[in-house]
Amino acid sequence: MGDCELTEFERDLVKSFNSYFEKNGVRAIAYRRKQHRFSSQFVDILVDSIKPDYYIAIENKSISTAKGAKKLYFSQHFSKNQVERIDTFLNKSGRNGYLAVELKQGRGKPRQAFMIPWNVIIKRYHEDESGLGVKEIKRFMEIERNGEKYKVGSFFNEDL
């Protein structure tokens, strides 16, 4: 899992959120915080809005099911203490948190992405689970794709 691929997923989601906000007249903005080499960011994407439903934070993870990944592991896909840092940030900021998981299924097969509410992640983490299986991830709300682009409208229409 390279940084470029992860950055591409983040960039696609930010564009999709901002496109949705613009088309629907929502006063909100999605953005990625600039990363600095020696400081950690809390989450990958922040959405600011005066409307509480749109005041969210999203951590992004990509896994390659084409390479045999069957699970998103806390120990492998998150850095040390990252889950606790994100949870603390969400609690202090009052943001609604989500984990966006992109499943890369190999050449010629479309990528899929799913939004998992952060309360599910933190509960599993505190129960000492090792992570979430791909089958389980697919039970959460899928972010629709139109060709190569994600469309977050379904996320807002169903979840918020």
Side-chain angles (χ1 to χ4, degrees):
M1 175 172 78
D3 287 336
C4 293
E5 295 164 317
L6 197 68
T7 302
E8 180 185 342
F9 180 39
E10 291 172 15
R11 196 175 307 118
D12 289 348
L13 280 183
V14 167
K15 284 180 185 175
S16 182
F17 275 105
N18 286 327
S19 174
Y20 173 83
F21 297 147
E22 191 174 320
K23 284 179 187 166
N24 292 283
V26 176
R27 288 182 55 200
I29 185 168
Y31 57 97
R32 295 166 51 223
R33 298 268 326 239
K34 186 171 181 147
Q35 282 186 275
H36 298 283
R37 187 173 175 192
F38 297 108
S39 65
S40 60
Q41 66 181 35
F42 292 109
V43 293
D44 295 316
I45 297 173
L46 294 172
V47 178
D48 286 341
S49 178
I50 61 169
K51 292 184 168 217
D53 289 348
Y54 296 104
Y55 191 58
I56 60 178
I58 303 166
E59 179 63 23
N60 293 36
K61 298 294 177 188
S62 293
I63 58 176
S64 177
T65 58
K67 294 182 180 175
K70 300 208 183 321
K71 199 168 194 174
L72 177 105
Y73 291 98
F74 293 127
S75 61
Q76 180 182 343
H77 295 98
F78 289 86
S79 62
K80 188 175 187 204
N81 299 324
Q82 186 179 15
V83 174
E84 290 101 337
R85 282 195 319 268
I86 292 170
D87 197 56
T88 299
F89 172 75
L90 293 173
N91 287 322
K92 286 183 176 183
S93 72
R95 291 179 190 268
N96 296 310
Y98 294 89
L99 176 66
V101 180
E102 182 179 56
L103 304 178
K104 297 177 188 171
Q105 303 176 97
R107 271 190 112 121
K109 295 182 183 172
R111 295 176 183 192
Q112 291 181 289
F114 299 86
M115 291 290 263
I116 304 168
W118 188 258
N119 61 354
V120 172
I121 301 301
I122 199 68
K123 182 177 186 280
R124 295 294 293 277
Y125 184 78
H126 286 305
E127 290 173 349
D128 287 329
E129 295 286 335
S130 59
L132 286 100
V134 170
K135 286 181 181 177
E136 184 179 6
I137 290 168
K138 287 183 174 186
R139 287 190 217 127
F140 288 94
M141 212 276 307
E142 184 173 0
I143 304 168
E144 293 177 25
R145 274 179 79 92
N146 182 3
E148 292 295 310
K149 295 187 175 16
Y150 285 107
K151 293 173 41 182
V152 297
S154 59
F155 168 69
F156 289 117
N157 292 335
E158 281 187 32
D159 255 351
L160 298 177

